[in-house]
Amino acid sequence: AQTVTQSQPEMSVQEAETVTLSCTYDTSESDYYLFWYKQPPSRQMILVIRQEAYKQQNATENRFSVNFQKAAKSFSLKISDSQLGDAAMYFCAYRSATGTASKLTFGTGTRLQVTL
Amino acid sequence: SAVISQKPSRDICQRGTSLTIQCQVDSQVTMMFWYRQQPGQSLTLIATANQGSEATYESGFVIDKFPISRPNLTFSTLTVSNMSPEDSSIYLCSARGSGRTEAFFGQGTRLTVV
């Protein structure tokens, strides 16, 4: 079974600075997807960024980018120019690319605080 | 991206009663899922809601406790039956469209059982 590990329960960053959230995963599959979701106090899970395992290029969405290291099974999220609205729980998630019914497996989350 | 409406957004219920949570998607989707998020914890998949057939439950979750319906490609319900305080959690509906990589989520239902 696949597992996702987030080793940082909490992180803090100053506004306008850069922070990196760590995520590692364990799988025997070669084709899969990785995601970062954000959950603010409103509870809604918001997709931040996704990465297809077959793509070597790291995904980027505005201020958010990932460092995907397939051999090391590492998938970190970098937030540049942090804003107060970035404060939230961040969950790393894995999904197999095999089968239409494949489900998301989530890590335990990292709580990000943004300070002035 | 799909817009998912979930209701109620929160409820306080007496133990021994049941609550049905509704999930409506603004477009037809292939897959719908129900998750539980206990206080301060990550998301745990309860079941996959299958259109026109019985849901597929994850280990530790049973149909008698969490009956699920999915009458069409845009709507699903989750019932939490015979509730106890241990059922106090956030319940989230999720959906993924055909051929899509990502899943989207409703805003969640915060359930408190007293």
Side-chain angles (χ1 to χ4, degrees), chain B residues 38-58:
Chain B
Q38 295 181 304
Q41 303 296 314
S42 186
L43 282 73
T44 300
L45 182 65
I46 297 171
T48 301
N50 301 308
Q51 193 265 328
S53 65
E54 193 172 286
T56 303
Y57 289 84
E58 297 298 304

Side-chain angles (χ1 to χ4, degrees), chain B residues 19-85:
Chain B
L19 176 71
T20 296
I21 303 168
Q22 298 181 0
C23 178
Q24 178 74 55
V25 189
D26 69 345
S27 59
Q28 292 187 346
V29 291
T30 307
M31 308 299 299
M32 293 185 74
F33 306 91
W34 287 98
Y35 289 86
R36 182 175 73 181
Q37 186 178 24
Q38 295 181 304
Q41 303 296 314
S42 186
L43 282 73
T44 300
L45 182 65
I46 297 171
T48 301
N50 301 308
Q51 193 265 328
S53 65
E54 193 172 286
T56 303
Y57 289 84
E58 297 298 304
S59 176
F61 298 96
V62 296
I63 187 171
D64 290 346
K65 176 66 176 177
F66 298 102
I68 288 170
S69 77
R70 190 177 172 193
N72 56 51
L73 292 176
T74 64
F75 185 77
S76 179
T77 65
L78 168 74
T79 299
V80 186
S81 303
N82 187 24
M83 287 184 285
S84 67

Side-chain angles (χ1 to χ4, degrees), chain A residues 71-88:
Chain A
K73 297 180 182 176
S74 171
F75 182 61
S76 60
L77 174 69
K78 186 171 81 171
I79 306 174
S80 304
D81 186 25
S82 297
Q83 301 175 359
L84 293 178
D86 295 332

